Amino acid sequence: MNYDYYNPGFNFCTPEEGIVKQSESLGSILFGDRIFNSPYNIRMRQNASCTILCKSSLSTEQATFMNERINEDQAINWLVDGLPASELKQDPKSGELFYDMGFNLGNDDDEYAEKPLLNNHYDIRMEYHETANGKFRVVGVLVWPFSLDTPSSGQPTCDTQSANPPHLSVSSTKKNEFYYTYSVTWTKSDTPWATRWDNYLHIFDPKIHWFSLINSIVIVVFLCVMVSMILLRTVSKDISRYNAMDLSEDIQEDFGWKLVHGEVFRQPRYPMALSVLAGNGAQLAAMAGITLGTIISSSL
């Protein structure tokens, strides 16, 4: 189940100017995205270290809600310049690195199953590409989430390099107070703007796609053969009936397939609408065929 980022159960940090819903593109609407502004202050090519976002608190009900979402492996989704924030992962079969959209709300693996950890610090790596005219474009957003409890001094240190940093877990029996922090690092990338989505569009097992393609082709061929057989039987039956008619008898009224000859050359009621729909259908069919051909040829 999906939740809004600013759901009261999470009690995430909110912008000073208030929560403002952002306009979505057609793709975002189709995917069901709900986009809002954020309190993060990230500027082009300006690194930031251990920036305090806000001090948050969770009641017992909110802590219970948060732990339940962590146990469900809920992921947080950010959008930066139209790109989703992702975690860097490796395909276990091919060993290829790819960007997995979204990052974990917390950690409930192994020893943390009974007492899950909440990720409250984010190491953000922004990848940018410099164009020929000296402009900079964002081509990648990576996030490494960490669970860091506030030390006894009362101020977060964001020490993610420590061997055993204190972890943060929220209790369902008392009020919890902690900080949300983040760090930003900008790195130059050779990935151009036009291909920045290639790192996100990862295929885990190409064999699955081949199986689906072959399965679809077999089904289409089978249906075409069935329809052709039905049409052939119907037409053959009508033709045999026409040939058996006595030509010396009075001309009888046309029936069956003979009625088609009077409809083929008749102008339709809306010729412009028919031509537009036929043209669009032909274009979509050609585009789908070229795309499939390109994919098949590139994978061989």
Side-chain angles (χ1 to χ4, degrees):
M1 182 176 180
N2 296 328
Y3 297 89
D4 284 340
Y5 183 80
Y6 292 115
N7 187 292
F10 297 117
N11 198 26
F12 286 136
C13 304
T14 57
E16 294 181 357
E17 64 274 16
I19 301 173
V20 180
K21 184 175 177 58
Q22 307 295 309
S23 59
E24 294 94 357
S25 63
L26 178 59
S28 298
I29 295 175
L30 294 177
F31 277 106
D33 294 339
R34 299 179 294 274
I35 305 175
F36 303 91
N37 59 334
S38 77
Y40 292 86
N41 186 15
I42 300 177
R43 299 183 179 275
M44 177 62 73
R45 301 178 64 200
Q46 293 186 11
N47 295 338
S49 177
C50 196
T51 303
I52 297 177
L53 191 63
C54 74
K55 185 176 183 181
S56 181
S57 63
L58 295 178
S59 63
T60 56
E61 293 80 6
Q62 290 173 325
T64 301
F65 176 84
M66 184 75 78
N67 287 331
E68 290 176 350
R69 303 292 81 76
I70 295 175
N71 290 329
E72 293 174 356
D73 294 329
Q74 284 281 340
I76 299 176
N77 293 282
W78 292 349
L79 283 178
V80 182
D81 196 22
L83 282 177
S86 308
E87 286 188 282
L88 186 63
K89 294 187 178 180
Q90 186 177 26
D91 192 328
K93 292 185 177 181
S94 63
E96 182 182 356
L97 296 176
F98 67 96
Y99 295 0
D100 188 22
M101 290 183 283
F103 51 92
N104 291 331
L105 174 65
N107 184 5
D108 64 340
D109 296 338
D110 300 331
E111 67 269 23
Y112 306 121
E114 296 295 331
K115 198 174 182 181
L117 304 180
L118 172 64
N119 294 327
N120 63 324
H121 174 77
Y122 309 109
D123 277 351
I124 307 171
R125 190 178 82 182
M126 305 290 296
E127 299 179 347
Y128 69 94
H129 177 74
E130 185 175 1
T131 61
N133 55 3
K135 294 183 178 180
F136 305 101
R137 309 293 295 271
V138 177
V139 294
V141 183
L142 293 173
V143 176
W144 284 269
F146 294 93
S147 177
L148 300 177
D149 198 3
T150 305
S152 57
S153 60
Q155 291 295 323
T157 60
C158 307
D159 186 8
T160 59
Q161 304 300 324
S162 176
N164 294 304
H167 298 304
L168 173 65
S169 60
V170 293
S171 175
S172 302
T173 59
K174 64 178 182 179
K175 185 178 181 180
N176 303 267
E177 293 186 349
F178 53 92
Y179 288 93
Y180 279 106
T181 57
Y182 68 97
S183 300
V184 181
T185 304
W186 289 86
T187 59
K188 191 173 183 179
S189 173
D190 295 331
T191 303
W193 169 268
T195 60
R196 64 177 187 164
W197 277 95
D198 289 356
N199 292 324
Y200 295 88
L201 305 177
H202 177 73
I203 300 176
F204 288 94
D205 191 357
K207 294 182 181 179
I208 298 178
H209 294 264
W210 280 106
F211 175 77
S212 301
L213 181 61
I214 295 174
N215 185 41
S216 300
I217 293 175
V218 170
I219 292 175
V220 170
V221 171
F222 176 76
L223 292 177
C224 290
V225 171
M226 291 294 296
V227 173
S228 300
M229 290 178 62
I230 295 173
L231 290 176
L232 181 61
R233 291 183 59 184
T234 304
V235 173
S236 299
K237 184 177 180 181
D238 287 344
I239 292 175
S240 300
R241 184 185 303 175
Y242 299 148
N243 294 333
M245 292 176 59
D246 188 359
L247 298 179
S248 63
E249 296 180 357
D250 296 336
I251 299 177
Q252 300 182 7
E253 184 180 357
D254 291 339
F255 61 89
W257 284 92
K258 280 193 174 182
L259 295 175
V260 178
H261 81 278
E263 303 290 337
V264 172
F265 299 103
R266 188 173 67 176
Q267 182 177 356
R269 296 180 60 184
Y270 304 101
M272 181 59 70
L274 177 62
S275 62
V276 171
L277 293 176
N280 288 337
Q283 181 181 2
L284 291 175
M287 182 178 63
I290 294 173
T291 303
L292 288 176
T294 304
I295 295 174
I296 294 174
S297 61
S298 62
S299 59
L300 294 178

